[in-house]
Amino acid sequence: MSDAFEKLCDHSREIALLNSIESLLDWDARCKLPEQGSAYRTEQQAYVAKLVHQKQTDPRIGDWLADVQGTNLTADPQSDTATIIREAQRNYDKQTKLPVELVEALTRATNDGQHAWVEARRENDFSKFLPYLENVYQLKREQADAIGYESCRYDALLDDYEPGEKTSTVRAALEALRTDLVPLLEAIQGSGKSPDRSILTRDYPVSKQESFGSQAAKAIGFEFDRGRLDVTHHPFCTEAGPDDCRITTRYDLNFFNMAFFGILHEAGHGIYDQGLRKSQYGLGPGHYLSLGIHESQSRMWENQVGRSRPFWDHWYGAAQEHFNSLQDVSLDDFYFAINHVEPSLIRVEADELTYNLHIIIRFELEQALIDEQIKPADLPEAWNTKYQQYLGIQPPTDADGVMQDVHWSAGLVGYFPTYSLGNLYAAQFYQQADKDLGGLDELFRRGEFLELKRWAGEKIHQRGRNVTPAELVQEVTGEPLSHTYLIDHLQSKLSPLYGI
Ligand code: ZN
């Protein structure tokens, strides 16, 4: 193996080592750090980030890449060596194409933007947020132009989260999804049926929620000797090394869903991280593929599995043993309650169906903003119009409307569609797993979940970045991404519940 290639690998692993230290500092800051410790923590994190940046822009990377590009190491694009080189090139280009002044301006704009967003949201005053939002969007346009794109500016931003994916493909999938979701939602609303949701807001003691949730996370394959579950305000999953995956959740004494489905969701992310190839840690083949594929793994365990009838055929007895509040509740009533569909204002609280409409609205608006088809000043009106059109509701305030998410203030433009892509990938992968494994329902009724974990590990997790998301979908399911699997999944679950 060439000398330049070895150096490139060692250097990439060193960057991963620093990044893992940064993510441990970040996890600690979000879960354990005493209040007074945050000022020095910011310095620690900024220092490590500076070291990472220096390493990532080391001009020797350019020399090593020049030595290995076009050699037999890159002959087979899906090989480990070609993937390592492709990823190193991609990272190096992203780091070196952006002028230092632009990177600094973006850091400042997004820090200030997030502070302004918190305050403006608290005071329900969009005009206070507006100048910061305008600034962030202006800089994101400059970023897209500096990175470059073929057909549309949004492509350059989407690529940060969904490598190789094109706006036109995502738009086609999400438009088709919306076209089929709207009549399904109308039918549900016209059914006159609705579950008793109050059973989910009875008393659910936190310690019982923790033990029940952990038991379920373990059963689906989250490895607690290579991971942890802790408490935070905003749940997330992170890793601080190949055998150190951290997931978090939050508990509400009077709401069953939040922690339980939150734990399944984050455990799904964790199982993906734990399923990556350890020997390739820090290199393309050992890296998660994209945010959409990551989200497909969390949504698969949360929704396809965790909200299914066979899952609860197995778990409901244990749930009743844990929670007195469920003693007098039938499995039918519980199952209907956890699968209730109703348009609501807040994305993060939305059900499995309407969630996608929240995403489609954001996806359409952020493209229009990037292309300057609408101005940030017109955003509240455009937002409310789309909520009326797609969900039939109007937010009473901008705080619960256009200012509900942190993403735009933080410069995360192109991020939203990955949530719905995750739902689409999850449904398409799941139907294939069901075929390959000869019927998952029977396995779940027996409490056997590890076959699905093994399948996903082999077909998805261990493929790393050797393929693009589009190639992975084709490889695993034999066809390109299609919205029909998610529609089929929702229809076959919701039709019997709502009698439609
Ligand atoms: Zn997620």
Side-chain angles (χ1 to χ4, degrees), residues 238-314:
T238 190
E239 53 87 6
D243 291 308
D244 186 356
C245 176
R246 312 283 175 109
I247 60 174
T248 68
T249 194
R250 55 182 166 164
Y251 297 98
D252 180 342
L253 170 67
N254 295 116
F255 190 36
F256 173 81
N257 286 18
M258 193 163 71
F260 186 77
F261 292 105
I263 289 172
L264 287 187
H265 181 97
E266 299 306 333
H269 280 303
I271 289 168
Y272 185 12
D273 283 343
Q274 291 182 334
L276 296 168
R277 287 158 64 193
K278 277 201 260 184
S279 61
Q280 298 289 327
Y281 187 75
L283 305 171
H287 198 284
Y288 73 83
L289 179 48
S290 72
L291 287 190
I293 298 294
H294 224 308
E295 195 68 7
S296 79
Q297 299 306 285
S298 57
R299 301 280 168 144
M300 182 176 84
W301 289 107
E302 178 194 355
N303 291 331
Q304 256 80 14
V305 180
R307 289 181 204 270
S308 73
R309 181 65 189 229
F311 180 88
W312 288 104
D313 284 338
H314 174 74

Side-chain angles (χ1 to χ4, degrees), residues 203-215:
D203 270 11
Y204 291 93
V206 166
S207 64
K208 297 274 172 93
Q209 288 193 51
E210 191 188 345
S211 67
F212 187 57
S214 304
Q215 207 180 319

